[in-house]
Amino acid sequence: MQTNSQRFLVQPSTRVEGSLRVPGDKSISHRALMLGAIAAGTSHITGFLPGEDCLATLAALRSLGIEIHQRDATTIDVVGQGMHGLVQASHGLDMGNSGTAMRLFMGLLAAQPFASALTGDESLGKRPMERVAKPLRQMGADVQTLNGLPPVRIRGGAGLRGIRFEMPVASAQVKSAVLLAGLYAAGETTVTEPAVTRDHTERMLTRLGYPVRRAGPSVTVAGGGNLSAARIDVPGDLSSAAFMVLAGCLATSGELVIEGVGLNPSRTGILRILQMMAARLRVEMAIDDGGEPVGRVVIAPSRLRGIEIPTELVPLAIDEFPVIFVAAALAEGETVIRGAEELRHKESDRIRVMADGLRALGVDVVELPDGARIRGGQLRGGVIDSGGDHRVAMSFAVGASRALGPVKILNTANVATSYPGFVTQARGIGLDIEAGPDE
Ligand code: S3P
């Protein structure tokens, strides 16, 4: 388990109110940089997420010869060099904590005429990469993992051919990697997914003028096309908003409004699940001007009820299960999560880390191979370890505000990978969270 010396200290609180905008969407920020880099012309990105994960992608693209001007933390110009403008990096590319960066770069770099090496931190070093390497090899790429894990070595220089790939796991990262390689392959590349996953790559390709064909669960690109630079407005990240939505539901008074948040239907599983749990939340769609639906979410104090989570919603809420575990722990009755084995392959084994943390706070949790049974009730005060997982740390921070006593959450530094400013925003709406070094 990764350790770092930051911690949160959370005191109980009851009122949550105000209006906020959460930082930009992580998935879309990665894609804006990568696709902007291989487009012709300069793409202007607003609302970029300046979290460590996306900054790893930014630094890697600079190492690959791309000029990127960061006008301020969230406003970026990427000087695209066209489909064939990347150059070999002089050193290995460090993906930090980011699975998205590593897997999407695998697809992009497998198609380049030069060699690349991709490394990451301790958590990323335990995450499966063969799910991407295998289809890339079928396309003709030379990609090596270390017993299935990072570091990843790509020889480059292989002419790729299009494939029809039936994805065994529902993964937007795998789908995106194969599609990125497909942009450079001879003929058509078709990816068929076993369940709907986020479609930001497809939407952004379309936005930048690359033809993408969708038919039911399949998406097809033909190699040899071109991308044109565009203005990309990144909406707020619903996965970050989810912590605040949970805070609004768990409060006993006040009302919370989250503005300008992405509401792509391949991401809104969390809102549907919380609504099924009797959350009092309202979604108001605004105009969809950049290929991504955006709107606001209004949340009122709620009495949550336990439910059986429909398995078809799992991929649509895959990053929000730490939030759902906490919601379940504070709901009335039992919640059952199944069909979510993928959670064991995220920044931590989220089933185990969430079950351990909830048990440490007195909750009755039965861990299952692909989920958990959680008996709702109360949280008591105590000390838990986030396992260095940003979403686990933030979910517990919000849940802890409704605990019977203070809660200390260890290993919280990685919150900066996805949600810079989390503590400030959480305090701003009424939570009593203090961040500091763990002495
Ligand atoms: C992401 C896809 C998801 C998600 C991750 C971001 C993406 O992973 O968990 O945080 O940007 O494509 P999988 O597609 O592997 O499930």
Side-chain angles (χ1 to χ4, degrees):
M1 197 170 277
Q2 188 166 329
T3 53
N4 48 52
S5 57
Q6 296 289 306
R7 58 104 183 101
F8 290 159
L9 191 58
V10 187
Q11 305 288 342
S13 61
T14 54
R15 187 170 175 82
V16 166
E17 67 185 335
S19 162
L20 79 156
R21 265 173 202 275
V22 294
D25 188 278
K26 180 152 72 74
S27 293
I28 299 174
S29 294
H30 281 297
R31 287 159 173 83
L33 290 176
M34 287 188 201
L35 294 182
I38 57 168
T42 299
S43 290
H44 181 66
I45 307 171
T46 66
F48 175 78
L49 171 67
E52 287 167 2
D53 278 12
C54 299
L55 293 174
T57 288
L58 190 153
L61 286 170
R62 281 188 173 145
S63 302
L64 292 161
I66 299 298
E67 217 181 291
I68 300 176
H69 305 289
Q70 208 170 354
R71 290 162 177 260
D72 60 44
T74 63
T75 313
I76 299 216
D77 287 337
V78 185
V79 185
Q81 296 299 315
M83 297 301 289
H84 302 285
L86 299 177
V87 297
Q88 181 160 12
S90 58
H91 49 80
L93 300 169
D94 183 1
M95 305 287 110
N97 191 244
S98 178
T100 306
M102 183 165 286
R103 296 198 177 109
L104 269 57
F105 268 121
M106 284 172 74
L108 183 59
L109 295 174
Q112 304 304 320
F114 51 80
S116 305
L118 303 174
T119 62
D121 72 4
E122 191 189 330
S123 149
L124 188 53
K126 294 183 192 141
R127 298 181 64 187
M129 294 300 146
E130 277 298 314
R131 51 178 61 192
V132 181
K134 271 192 194 139
L136 293 177
R137 281 186 209 117
Q138 276 177 41
M139 297 176 84
D142 184 340
V143 181
Q144 290 166 33
T145 64
L146 190 64
N147 300 321
L149 305 175
V152 174
R153 295 190 181 284
I154 298 164
R155 191 197 287 268
L160 303 188
R161 52 189 177 270
I163 55 166
R164 298 184 70 83
F165 179 56
E166 302 252 348
M167 265 196 309
V169 282
S171 165
Q173 294 178 351
V174 176
K175 172 177 65 174
S176 300
V178 174
L179 291 176
L180 286 174
L183 304 182
Y184 293 87
E188 290 192 340
T189 296
T190 299
V191 181
T192 303
E193 49 188 14
V196 176
T197 68
R198 64 191 67 193
D199 63 355
H200 304 302
T201 302
E202 298 91 301
R203 284 174 186 261
M204 197 168 296
L205 283 171
T206 306
R207 169 105 177 118
L208 301 190
Y210 205 103
V212 175
R213 218 166 65 234
R214 303 198 209 198
S218 299
V219 45
T220 301
V221 294
N226 288 297
L227 294 159
S228 312
R231 183 191 162 95
I232 300 168
D233 296 317
V234 180
D237 196 326
L238 183 58
S239 296
S240 297
F243 307 111
M244 304 312 189
V245 172
L246 176 65
C249 290
L250 297 180
T252 56
S253 67
E255 184 186 74
L256 182 65
V257 182
I258 302 175
E259 306 274 4
V261 67
L263 293 170
N264 180 318
S266 63
R267 296 284 296 280
T268 49
I270 180 63
L271 302 179
R272 289 163 65 187
I273 290 168
L274 286 174
Q275 277 169 332
M276 290 174 71
M277 296 178 81
R280 291 168 59 217
L281 60 90
R282 201 169 74 238
V283 177
E284 296 169 6
M285 300 292 286
I287 305 159
D288 168 4
D289 66 348
E292 288 284 348
V294 182
R296 71 208 292 255
V297 182
V298 183
I299 309 107
S302 312
R303 285 177 61 107
L304 298 180
R305 279 199 308 266
I307 58 163
E308 275 194 33
I309 312 267
T311 49
E312 67 273 16
L313 291 184
V314 168
L316 307 182
I318 193 65
D319 288 344
E320 285 66 69
F321 275 86
V323 166
I324 293 165
F325 271 76
V326 169
L330 288 160
E332 198 184 310
E334 189 182 63
T335 294
V336 183
I337 299 168
R338 303 301 308 253
E341 201 268 340
E342 270 299 295
L343 296 177
R344 297 200 181 273
H345 307 294
K346 295 296 177 188
E347 286 82 328
S348 68
D349 174 345
R350 287 185 173 157
I351 297 176
R352 204 198 63 218
V353 176
M354 289 307 300
D356 286 351
L358 287 177
R359 278 194 214 106
L361 300 181
V363 180
D364 179 2
V365 185
V366 178
E367 199 180 316
L368 305 169
D370 62 344
R373 282 177 194 282
I374 303 159
R375 178 147 300 283
Q378 283 184 323
L379 300 182
R380 59 171 185 243
V383 180
I384 55 164
D385 193 321
S386 77
D389 184 325
H390 55 135
R391 300 201 196 282
V392 170
M394 290 185 274
S395 299
F396 274 115
V398 170
S401 67
R402 303 298 293 131
L404 301 175
V407 175
K408 189 169 168 183
I409 304 165
L410 304 176
N411 288 336
T412 59
N414 279 340
V415 165
T417 60
S418 69
Y419 199 157
F422 166 72
V423 171
T424 308
Q425 285 201 323
R427 291 176 68 88
I429 61 169
L431 302 191
D432 187 345
I433 304 176
E434 185 217 311
D438 187 31
E439 289 108 19

